């Protein structure tokens, strides 16, 4: 009876995974980005044709994959990111050309390239497809005619194609240089308006977390977009507006966290008006509006309105009056990478897993002498790109179905023996549709990306195949690659991410305790808490903790009790980190007595020790922290969150 119940549960989970993998989300179609991606991929091919060399055009078109790494990030960060992507594409094209005669070298290098890309993108938290296109370019160059002396030429052509993508990606800077920064600050004020409306309701906690998340995103976006030698009027306003949003949020937390009455609706309406006025400000237009104010309000609400008015005044103040010093704090690359190089770091573990499984897939493909054997590890890489085990299964289903249909499309196209501008047209069309559907469902994108990649690969390699042979060969490659990826994830993925949560929570609480001590003790003149080593350490631990928790929630089998228990704990830790980091930005911090600091340290160590031993910490009386009661409240909340049932 029990076995049949387990079988029924397994079947239900499998059907759920199938259903989730086929779901199409409601994100809007990125028409402009899709069109630009198609131009970036096809224009090098057209230029090559104009100069009478299709092969060179297709090689440059591989550099056009650079545009697929374009996301809505500040142009300053986008420019640097795409330069490194271009250099990476050039490097893998050289390595692919030089290693082509040596199958074992190809397999090892493929694993190293994949692992390095996964680690770098994960450690730096870079949005994008990470490893897959680096592995694709490397694979395609290994399938070209073996001519090692052409390595510099191929790299140069990839560089030219990538440079063209860079120029297309940066074109929007001329019209809206701070578009991404304006967008994120606008979202801050819209979420802040919803948060003010939620005070005194059961939506307060959820809304608080949303505001905190978007404020952190805004801080990171503004830090990424900051250019010390080119701080524009609009950027300065956005920075100060974001700072005021933090002040409003913290004031509400300090004074109204336990309030059971709602704010006047005029408060939320005013904040929304400010958010919408940013649309006019980024166009250089002035925007005047009537300030909404209730006729009756108490002293604390009146003070809140004063802070809101100060933020509103920034919209129309002359630049000369905005004299706030911009202080941007960025963690060093050394700090980031040292934090990621840890045996408990999920980024490091994922990168190693990715590299090993990819190498094994490549070795198997070469061992069985598959034609164009790189399609086996490429399919494996696509499957492994899922951020969690559940996401990996989704990718496997999506990749499988999308690729099977995509191969049939590619087979029909190649059966027509296209050449010249017909190839360029298909590259444009297929890239456009791929980028259009990638936001909806990976399987729909694979349906069009597969024939695009096959068209470019087969057009730059020797040999021709019949329709039936070509289609069956690629289908076999894809199915084998998907199978290897799934088996590898199942074998390696039995290490439970949820089992690593207590260690990382312990480590994070201790780093918060260290930062708490330096915030409220005398560190001497010239000490800047917002640039301290303790803050960077706390940030790194919180980022790693959130990543590990996300992975644990996507495990199969999922430890549901652990996931449910740790969610409020991680929520509280993340919020405490936010409060401490904001506290570090003000110089008006009280110096607490040694007795109070010792009590705070003892409380944090009690929580850390209990978590490491998987016990409930005893509830301690948290001493008052003058002018920062929200920190005291959050420590109390963290103690309660760590209480275990039974």
């Amino acid at each position: 009876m029990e076995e049949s119940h387990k079988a029924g549960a397994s079947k239900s989970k499998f059907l759920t995974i199938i259903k989730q993998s086929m779901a199409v989300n409601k994100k809007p179609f990125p028409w402009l980005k899709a069109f630009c991606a198609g131009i970036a991929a096809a224009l090098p091919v057209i230029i090559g044709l104009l100069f009478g060399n299709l092969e060179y055009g297709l090689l440059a078109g591989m550099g056009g994959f650079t545009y697929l790494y374009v996301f809505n990030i500040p142009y300053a960060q986008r420019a640097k990111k795409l330069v490194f992507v271009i250099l990476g594409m050039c490097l893998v094209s050289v390595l692919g050309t030089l290693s082509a005669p040596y199958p074992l070298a190809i397999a090892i290098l493929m694993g190293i390239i994949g692992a390095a890309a996964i680690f770098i993108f994960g450690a730096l938290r870079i949005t994008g497809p990470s490893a897959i296109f680096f592995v694709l370019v490397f694979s395609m160059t290994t399938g070209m005619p073996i001519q090692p002396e052409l390595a510099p030429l191929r790299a140069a052509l990839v560089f030219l194609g990538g440079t063209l993508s860079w120029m297309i990606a940066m074109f929007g800077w001329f019209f809206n240089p701070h578009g991404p920064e304006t967008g994120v600050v606008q979202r801050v004020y819209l979420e802040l308006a919803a948060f003010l409306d939620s005070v005194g309701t059961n939506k307060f906690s959820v809304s608080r977390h949303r505001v905190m998340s978007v404020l952190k995103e805004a801080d990171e976006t503004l830090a990424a977009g900051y250019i010390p030698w080119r701080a524009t009027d609009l950027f300065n306003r956005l920075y100060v507006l974001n700072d005021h949003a933090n002040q409003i949020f913290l004031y509400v937390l300090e004074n109204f966290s336990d309030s059971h009455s709602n704010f006047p609706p005029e408060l939320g309406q005013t904040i929304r008006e400010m958010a919408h006025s940013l649309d006019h400000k980024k166009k250089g237009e002035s925007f005047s509006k009537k300030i909404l104010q209730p006729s009756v309000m108490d002293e604390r609400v009146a003070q809140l309105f004063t802070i809101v008015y100060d933020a509103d005044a920034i919209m129309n103040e002359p630049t000369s009056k905005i004299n706030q010093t911009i202080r941007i704090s960025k963690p060093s690359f050394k700090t980031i990478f040292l934090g990621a190089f840890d045996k408990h770091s999920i980024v490091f573990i994922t990168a190693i897993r990715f590299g090993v499984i990819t190498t094994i897939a490549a070795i198997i493909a070469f061992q069985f002498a598959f034609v164009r054997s790189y399609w086996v590890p490429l399919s494996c890489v696509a499957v492994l790109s899922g951020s969690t085990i559940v996401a990996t299964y989704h990718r496997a289903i999506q990749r499988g179905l999308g690729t099977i249909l995509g191969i049939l499309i590619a087979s029909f196209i190649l059966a027509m023996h296209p050449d010249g501008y017909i190839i360029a047209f298909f590259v444009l069309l297929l890239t456009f549709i791929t980028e259009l559907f990638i936001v909806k469902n990976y399987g729909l994108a694979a349906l069009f990306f597969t024939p695009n990649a096959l068209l470019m690969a087969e057009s730059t390699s020797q040999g021709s195949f019949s329709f039936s042979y070509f289609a069956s060969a690629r289908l076999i490659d894809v199915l084998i690659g998907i199978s290897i990826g799934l088996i590898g994830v199942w074998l390696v993925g039995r290490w439970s991410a949820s089992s690593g949560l207590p260690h990382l929570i312990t480590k994070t609480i201790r780093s918060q305790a260290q930062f708490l001590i330096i915030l409220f003790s005398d560190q001497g003149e010239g000490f800047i808490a917002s640039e301290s080593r303790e803050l960077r350490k706390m940030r790194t631990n919180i980022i790693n903790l959130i990543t590990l928790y996300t992975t644990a929630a996507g495990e199969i089998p999922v430890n549901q009790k652990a996931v449910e228990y740790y969610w409020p704990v991680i929520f509280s830790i993340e919020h405490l980190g936010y409060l401490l980091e904001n506290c570090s930005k003000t110089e008006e911090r009280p110096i607490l007595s040694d007795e109070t600091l010792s009590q705070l340290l003892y409380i944090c160590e009690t929580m850390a020790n209990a978590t490491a031993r998987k016990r409930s910490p005893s509830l301690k009386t948290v001493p008052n922290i003058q002018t920062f009661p929200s920190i005291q409240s959050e420590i109390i909340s963290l103690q309660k969150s760590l209480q275990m049932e039974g």
Side-chain angles (χ1 to χ4, degrees), residues 579-621:
L579 294 172
L580 292 173
E581 187 166 345
N582 271 277
C583 175
S584 71
K585 295 174 184 176
T586 177
E587 295 179 2
E588 299 173 1
R589 297 189 301 272
I591 302 298
L592 301 180
S593 66
D594 289 347
E595 183 182 350
T596 302
L597 289 172
S598 299
Q599 180 70 4
L600 287 169
L601 189 60
Y602 173 62
I603 291 167
C604 290
E605 188 57 31
T606 300
M607 290 190 289
N609 258 326
T611 304
R613 295 161 60 87
K614 298 183 181 178
R615 305 280 185 188
S616 295
S618 54
L619 294 175
K620 308 290 183 185
T621 302

Side-chain angles (χ1 to χ4, degrees), residues 25-39:
N25 64 50
K26 296 180 180 179
K27 291 180 182 178
F29 285 110
W31 294 100
L32 180 61
K33 184 184 176 185
F35 176 73
C36 290
I39 293 295

Side-chain angles (χ1 to χ4, degrees), residues 118 350 353-359 361 377-388 391-392 395-396 481 484-486 488-489:
I118 289 290
T350 302
R353 180 187 73 182
F354 191 99
V356 170
I357 297 174
T358 301
T359 300
L378 264 178
S379 299
C380 181
V381 164
V383 169
L384 293 173
S385 296
S387 56
T388 65
T392 299
R395 278 291 176 96
I484 293 170
L486 288 176
V489 168

